[in-house]
Amino acid sequence: MTLRLWPRSLIGQLVFAVAAMLFIAQAVNFAMLARGQRQQILAHGGGMAVARIIDAVERDRRGVAEADDSDRNRRERVQRLVISNEPTRPPPQAEAAPALAAYVAGLLDEADVRAERVDAWALPPRPHAQRTGFSSRTVVVSAKVGDRYYAVRSRIPTDGKRLQGFLLWQTLSLYLLLLVPILFIAWRAAAPLRDLTRAARGNPALRDTTPLVEAGPSDVRDLISAFNAYRARIAAMLADKDRMLGAVGHDLRTPLASLRVRVEQVEDARLRDKMIASIEEMTAMLADILALARAGSGTEAREAVGLDVLAGDVAADYREQGKDVSLAAVAAVTVQARPMLLRRALRNLIDNAVAYGLRARLSVTVADGEARLIVSDDGPGLAETQIEALMEPFARGEESRNRATGGAGLGLAIAREIAESEGGRLTLANRAGGGLDAVIALPVPE
């Protein structure tokens, strides 16, 4: 399982990008300030130590004699300077400070004082210094110039927590000042987009042409306005199609009925039966074509439909006709659908199962938030290429157009259109033990 760091939503991406950039900027800022603070600390403590060492070296070079030993010792204690021919020993509990030693060596070299060796140690901070509000540490710097050792004490500030606290509050302030407006702007743009997405996913055949409210930034409002106009054009086209199909159905049914009346007057019984069969085939094909064209656009209202009850009623109807249709495992589940259309889709699947798979078994299952209405047969199954082709209108497994062997090839197409108009889907799948499963999957209301 891979960890997804980049958010998928617009708000998440904006917040993540701004937060990441602010973090990187503050990290760079902290690194630069920390380096500057270190340089300032070294300059504060090391500069004083270098000045005293240079002063002591110059006095030694000039041979300046002190008034007496007591006066010299007093001034050395005041200046915290020790000059000795012996190497300077590190104070107890002191820590080596190589950065300070390197800084002092560089300053001495710039002052043309050749030091053979420079050492530095830092003593632990004094407890009472923290109570005064300013923390500092005593450092000892030792430099060997010629054959003499010059050791001097100095102080360096150690109040690095103030910098961290300042950067922490600065970062929090920046996050509040930037992320809150960005969150508001992103939410203002994303809320209308979510409504637009839900509307775009809807089935245009449902004729829900209620315009979306134009809200959000100007770009989003323009997009919603264009979508409303586009959906209105689709609704107008579908309405024109329905009117045309109604006219075609009416105009064709009337002459077909008149033709059948005339055909029944034919004296040759064999010829009359063939002509009547052809007229009935044309009438049934016309009904199928109109049903496919109008799938999902009827006026029937959605209601709560128990799939277990629906499957039981349909199976009972087929058994009364002497057809091998039985019930298998049936789960009690209710969906929101149009019962007449759903019943028609189920009948189409059962007719195919009985015609091509010897018998039909109905079952209802629930999984992953979906209710599955399954029609299983015991036929030879289908190749994958056949499964894709048979979902299209006028496609048949048996190539003839004789309705006695399968009809016009619109049953699966109608069932698919009905399933999709109800927010679900139709799938065909071969079973491992043989046979075919036709599954209508519908969403289960929360």
Side-chain angles (χ1 to χ4, degrees):
M1 181 178 179
T2 58
L3 180 63
R4 182 185 293 274
L5 296 179
W6 184 250
R8 299 178 63 180
S9 66
L10 173 64
I11 297 178
Q13 290 182 7
L14 284 176
V15 172
F16 182 84
V18 174
M21 293 302 101
L22 280 178
F23 179 81
I24 295 174
Q26 287 299 95
V28 174
N29 187 27
F30 177 79
M32 296 177 64
L33 288 178
R35 180 177 179 182
Q37 187 185 47
R38 286 195 298 269
Q39 293 296 326
Q40 184 180 6
I41 291 173
L42 294 176
H44 183 275
M48 294 176 62
V50 168
R52 291 172 182 171
I53 291 174
I54 292 176
D55 180 66
V57 171
E58 291 296 330
R59 285 191 290 109
D60 279 352
R61 287 178 179 177
R62 292 196 306 266
V64 177
E66 300 294 341
D68 52 39
D69 291 341
S70 60
D71 184 56
R72 179 177 180 180
N73 292 335
R74 179 180 63 81
R75 280 183 291 147
E76 287 177 352
R77 285 195 300 271
V78 173
Q79 298 176 357
R80 298 181 179 181
L81 174 67
V82 177
I83 303 175
S84 174
N85 293 327
E86 299 294 331
T88 304
R89 295 181 180 180
Q93 300 181 349
E95 300 177 356
L100 180 59
Y103 182 80
V104 170
L107 291 181
L108 291 175
D109 187 64
E110 292 178 2
D112 200 21
V113 177
R114 300 291 180 260
E116 298 180 9
R117 178 178 178 181
V118 178
D119 297 306
W121 300 275
L123 277 66
R126 292 178 296 177
H128 68 84
Q130 298 180 356
R131 293 195 298 268
T132 62
F134 182 80
S135 177
S136 63
R137 299 182 68 177
T138 300
V139 294
V140 177
V141 179
S142 173
K144 181 182 180 183
V145 181
D147 57 353
R148 307 195 68 174
Y149 289 87
Y150 301 86
V152 63
R153 289 196 173 199
S154 182
R155 303 191 68 80
I156 59 174
T158 59
D159 200 17
K161 294 183 180 180
R162 291 185 176 182
L163 175 62
Q164 298 175 2
F166 168 75
L167 287 175
L168 177 61
W169 284 109
Q170 184 188 58
T171 302
L172 292 177
S173 300
L174 287 175
Y175 272 101
L176 290 176
L177 291 175
L178 291 178
L179 292 184
V180 171
I182 288 176
L183 278 172
F184 174 75
I185 295 173
W187 172 82
R188 187 167 176 263
L193 288 177
R194 285 193 292 268
D195 295 337
L196 179 62
T197 301
R198 285 192 292 268
R201 287 175 177 170
N203 189 353
L206 299 180
R207 317 298 169 84
D208 182 13
T209 57
T210 303
L212 293 177
V213 178
E214 298 179 12
S218 60
D219 296 339
V220 178
R221 291 198 300 269
D222 292 342
L223 177 61
I224 296 176
S225 176
F227 174 79
N228 287 334
Y230 176 70
R231 191 164 59 169
R233 289 195 297 271
I234 292 179
M237 293 172 60
L238 292 175
D240 293 341
K241 181 202 70 171
D242 288 345
R243 285 193 295 269
M244 179 190 68
L245 290 175
V248 170
H250 179 271
D251 293 345
L252 288 180
R253 283 195 180 100
T254 301
L256 284 175
S258 176
L259 181 61
R260 175 161 181 169
V261 171
R262 292 186 176 90
V263 166
E264 288 179 351
Q265 299 177 2
V266 176
E267 296 181 357
D268 189 340
R270 184 163 175 256
L271 178 60
R272 182 176 65 249
D273 292 341
K274 287 184 178 180
M275 295 174 67
I276 291 175
S278 298
I279 294 174
E280 290 179 348
E281 183 177 352
M282 293 174 62
T283 303
M285 186 179 299
L286 176 61
D288 287 345
I289 293 174
L290 293 176
L292 175 62
R294 291 175 175 174
S297 61
T299 58
E300 184 183 9
R302 280 187 171 83
E303 59 183 65
V305 179
L307 295 185
D308 52 337
V309 177
L310 177 66
D313 291 345
V314 174
D317 292 342
Y318 275 93
R319 285 197 297 270
E320 290 178 359
Q321 301 172 21
K323 296 183 179 180
D324 191 356
V325 178
S326 60
L327 287 177
V330 178
V333 60
T334 301
V335 298
Q336 288 292 326
R338 287 168 289 187
M340 293 182 62
L341 284 177
L342 190 58
R343 185 184 294 268
R344 174 156 195 166
L346 181 59
R347 286 183 177 277
N348 288 352
L349 298 180
I350 294 175
D351 289 340
N352 284 340
V354 172
Y356 299 108
L358 304 179
R359 61 186 60 86
R361 290 187 304 277
L362 307 185
S363 57
V364 179
T365 61
V366 181
D368 300 329
E370 286 184 336
R372 294 182 173 89
L373 187 57
I374 306 172
V375 179
S376 304
D377 63 40
D378 295 332
L382 296 170
E384 292 298 327
T385 55
Q386 286 182 300
I387 290 178
E388 295 180 2
L390 289 178
M391 301 292 281
E392 299 300 324
F394 303 104
R396 294 189 53 201
E398 196 272 321
E399 295 300 330
S400 72
R401 291 298 171 188
N402 185 0
R403 293 192 67 87
T405 59
L410 293 173
L412 286 178
I414 293 173
R416 184 187 66 177
E417 291 295 327
I418 293 175
E420 292 179 354
S421 70
E422 300 300 327
R425 66 184 186 278
L426 171 65
T427 57
L428 303 179
N430 293 308
R431 290 199 310 277
L436 186 73
D437 286 341
V439 182
I440 297 177
L442 298 172
V444 178
E446 296 182 359

